[in-house]
């Protein structure tokens, strides 16, 4: 039987992990079909093309993809250098998609996945039926594709989490959309730079994206055209040494440097931190500026712009007719969830995993890449590459290879658990997983109910 007559394995999303999945499937002799809603490879990466990765070229090129590219004359960039998102697209994702050719279709949005002739309820002969994938094309045409398996690598980029501390949009958040962005702004763009220069911006979030925004706004404040640029860093929890990441203890040095740059922004007075602030409402003052209102009644006034970097959420709507086993907190596969749950996971380092942790009651459907993490943070590209290597081997029937672990991930240098809800992290004695950086002084501001902010120095350990 020719490969063309065999139902394909449908891969949803032509980002780094989806394209890597296609490369591994091809290497295994399977027939991948990548469906991408956008009009180019790495559509989501285009939105943060200006951001420099904290992984080197040596860590963001998939081995199977590299083999596929080699005969074309493609050469791997210097493995020790750090690309931007735009570099990743130009020098890797776009060439890889070109090699895959017509196995990648653009403008093809997946609207539903099910079992042929079987909705979610029906048991009879379920495992013998192929998957059916419904697709809507950019021109409005609809298509129904039978598939031997489905690998969902669509990511979570299209669904950023809101500013509201309860997981719901804050009251007034939608009405203030003209002053809010959910992405790290590109301050090399003159129009974007002008939007933030000389303004007071609140940044909500505590991860790598927030660090990047804090560092970029501090750099703007130091520049000749950024005089009077101020940043308020809004944190839902307290501050400790681990708030800024692993620093020099992080085995990905550029990731550690991000946290150190954010800390420098605070220490140098370019950013002030407000802790234990869970936003309930976004209001407008009489002068048109924003006021953030916390659940405890505190008010953060005189905000010109708001950058919300509180994470992302998976879109599970088009998977409603397949049987998934997801953790009730993270919306991640139940076997993977304990490894990535920020309520439990103490070291910020996720151990390599594969098809078994990613499997579901309907065999042959997998969520991979950032989608597999659900609402959890700290995903690395090389984690996704290991996932799809294992999944492709499992779909090809090579259980031995699928169960093998071919990856060792770098430690973050952060330890101590998730901490108490309203306080800084306190490491448990004898955890022994890694070293927690010593708490460092940071500049804090307090916000009183019904009043404007008042600056104050201090140390929060």
């Amino acid at each position: 039987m020719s490969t063309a007559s065999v139902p394909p394995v449908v891969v949803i999303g032509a980002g780094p992990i989806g394209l890597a999945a296609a490369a591994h499937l091809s290497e295994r002799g399977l027939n991948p079909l990548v469906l991408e809603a956008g009009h180019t490879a790495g559509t989501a990466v285009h939105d943060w093309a200006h951001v420099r990765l904290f992984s080197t070229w040596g860590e963001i090129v998939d081995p199977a993809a590299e083999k596929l590219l080699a005969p074309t004359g493609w050469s791997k960039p210097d493995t020790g250098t750090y690309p931007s998102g735009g570099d990743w697209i130009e020098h890797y994702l776009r060439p890889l998609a070109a090699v895959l050719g017509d196995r990648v279709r653009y403008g093809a949005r997946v609207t539903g996945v099910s079992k042929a002739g079987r909705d979610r309820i029906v048991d009879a002969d379920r495992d013998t039926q192929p998957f059916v994938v419904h697709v809507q094309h950019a021109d409005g045409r609809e298509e129904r594709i039978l598939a031997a398996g489905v690998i969902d690598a669509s990511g979570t980029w299209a669904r950023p989490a809101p500013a509201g501390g309860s997981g719901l949009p804050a009251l007034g958040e939608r009405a203030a959309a003209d002053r809010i962005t959910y992405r790290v702004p590109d301050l090399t763009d003159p129009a974007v730079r002008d939007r933030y220069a000389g303004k007071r911006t609140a940044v909500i979030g505590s991860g790598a994206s927030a660090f990047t925004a804090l560092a970029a706004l501090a750099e703007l404040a130091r520049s000749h055209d950024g005089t009077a640029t101020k940043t308020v860093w809004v944190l839902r929890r307290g501050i400790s040494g681990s708030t800024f990441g692993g620093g020099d203890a992080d085995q990905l040095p550029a990731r550690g440097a991000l946290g150190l740059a954010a800390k420098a922004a605070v220490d140098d007075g370019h950013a002030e931190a407000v802790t234990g602030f869970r936003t309930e409402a976004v209001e407008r003052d009489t002068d048109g500026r924003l006021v953030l209102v916390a659940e405890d009644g505190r008010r953060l006034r005189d905000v010109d712009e708001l950058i919300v970097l509180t994470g992302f959420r998976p879109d599970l709507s088009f998977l409603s007719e397949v049987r998934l086993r997801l953790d009730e907190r993270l919306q991640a596969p139940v076997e993977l969830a304990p490894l990535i749950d920020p309520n439990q996971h103490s070291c910020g380092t996720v151990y390599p995993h594969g098809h078994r942790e990613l499997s579901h009651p309907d065999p042959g459907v997998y969520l991979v890449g950032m989608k597999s993490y659900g609402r959890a943070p700290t995903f690395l590209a090389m984690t996704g590459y290991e996932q799809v290597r294992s999944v492709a081997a499992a779909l090809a029937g090579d259980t031995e290879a699928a169960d093998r672990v071919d990856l060792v991930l770098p430690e973050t240098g952060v330890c101590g658990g998730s901490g108490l809800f309203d306080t800084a992290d306190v490491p448990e004695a004898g955890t022994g997983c890694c070293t927690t950086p010593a708490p460092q002084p940071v500049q804090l501001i307090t916000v009183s109910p019904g009043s404007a902010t008042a600056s104050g120095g201090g140390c929060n350990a």
Side-chain angles (χ1 to χ4, degrees):
M1 183 181 293
S2 69
T3 303
S5 64
V6 176
V9 175
V10 166
V11 179
I12 305 173
I17 309 307
L19 294 176
H24 281 278
L25 292 167
S26 296
E27 188 176 56
R28 287 282 176 178
L30 300 176
N31 179 25
L33 175 61
V34 183
L35 301 175
E36 167 58 47
H39 297 287
T40 185
T43 298
V45 181
H46 276 272
D47 287 349
W48 52 269
H50 58 288
V51 176
R52 191 159 300 281
L53 281 75
F54 52 66
S55 297
T56 65
W57 273 114
E59 296 156 338
I60 61 169
V61 173
D62 176 79
E66 187 172 357
K67 290 179 187 176
L68 200 61
L69 283 163
T72 69
W74 177 85
S75 59
K76 190 175 184 177
D78 184 347
T79 57
T81 59
Y82 296 90
S84 66
D87 296 332
W88 205 11
I89 293 169
E90 181 179 356
H91 301 296
Y92 174 64
L93 299 180
R94 193 176 293 148
L96 178 55
V99 169
L100 289 166
D102 59 7
R103 287 173 286 186
V104 182
R105 297 184 188 173
Y106 300 105
R109 180 177 299 279
V110 173
T111 58
V113 178
S114 186
K115 282 285 194 163
R118 308 290 187 273
D119 64 18
R120 182 174 180 148
I121 299 174
V122 178
D123 289 335
D125 298 324
R126 186 176 188 84
D127 289 348
T128 66
Q129 299 301 310
F131 290 94
V132 58
V133 180
H134 282 211
V135 182
Q136 184 171 40
H137 294 274
D139 60 4
R141 178 173 53 91
E142 293 183 303
E143 184 180 7
R144 181 175 181 270
I145 300 171
L146 295 181
V150 175
I151 300 176
D152 182 359
S154 60
T156 57
W157 182 254
R159 298 193 67 196
S166 300
L168 301 172
L171 300 177
E173 183 173 345
R174 294 186 181 93
D178 61 318
R179 298 287 188 90
I180 302 176
T181 182
Y182 299 86
R183 308 285 188 255
V184 176
D186 181 5
L187 296 182
T188 64
D189 182 321
V192 176
R193 191 177 183 87
D194 184 62
R195 174 175 175 174
Y196 295 96
K199 306 291 177 56
R200 188 166 188 256
T201 299
V203 177
I204 304 179
S206 59
S209 294
F211 294 165
T212 302
L214 291 169
L217 289 167
E219 187 63 30
L220 176 60
R222 297 184 190 104
S223 66
H224 71 278
D225 63 338
T227 306
T229 300
K230 296 293 181 182
T231 305
V232 181
W233 186 19
V234 180
L235 291 149
R236 293 171 178 170
R237 291 171 50 199
I239 287 183
S240 74
S242 63
T243 296
F244 297 97
D248 294 335
D250 195 322
Q251 291 181 10
L252 287 179
R255 180 172 59 187
L258 267 181
L260 295 177
K263 184 177 182 301
V266 174
D267 290 345
D268 295 345
H270 297 300
E272 300 168 303
V274 179
T275 61
F277 193 102
R278 291 184 291 281
T279 307
E280 182 179 74
V282 179
E283 300 176 352
R284 287 189 191 265
D285 218 334
T286 54
D287 60 359
R289 302 176 87 184
L290 300 182
V291 179
L292 306 187
V293 183
E295 291 177 355
D296 60 9
R298 287 180 293 164
R299 302 174 74 84
L300 180 59
R301 298 182 182 278
D302 302 327
V303 174
D304 298 301
E305 296 287 343
L306 178 59
I307 300 174
V308 180
L309 301 169
T310 53
F312 297 89
R313 296 170 176 182
D315 179 5
L316 301 168
S317 61
F318 59 86
L319 300 173
S320 62
E321 292 305 317
V322 289
R323 296 176 179 177
L324 303 179
R325 186 166 54 236
L326 300 175
D327 180 76
E328 67 273 11
R329 296 179 299 278
L330 300 183
Q331 297 177 296
V334 292
E335 298 297 328
L336 174 61
L339 301 178
I340 61 177
D341 188 347
N343 292 298
Q344 304 175 24
H345 190 50
S346 63
C347 290
T349 301
V350 179
Y351 297 101
H353 53 275
H355 74 112
R356 294 197 183 276
E357 291 84 358
L358 300 171
S359 64
H360 294 282
D362 274 338
V365 60
Y366 298 94
L367 277 59
V368 300
M370 195 65 231
K371 184 74 169 277
S372 71
Y373 271 39
R375 298 186 178 208
T378 67
F379 181 77
L380 294 175
M382 50 186 147
T383 298
Y385 295 158
E386 174 66 4
Q387 287 179 340
V388 296
R389 181 205 63 77
S390 174
V391 165
L395 288 171
D398 188 348
T399 304
E400 181 180 354
D403 287 341
R404 189 175 64 240
V405 174
D406 285 352
L407 175 67
V408 176
L409 290 170
E411 297 284 348
T412 64
V414 175
C415 191
S418 61
L420 299 176
F421 190 53
D422 289 317
T423 64
D425 291 341
V426 180
E428 295 178 10
T431 52
C433 59
C434 43
T435 303
T436 305
Q440 299 292 326
V442 295
Q443 180 179 354
L444 300 177
I445 59 175
T446 57
V447 187
S448 302
S451 69
T453 60
S455 295
C459 189
N460 186 322

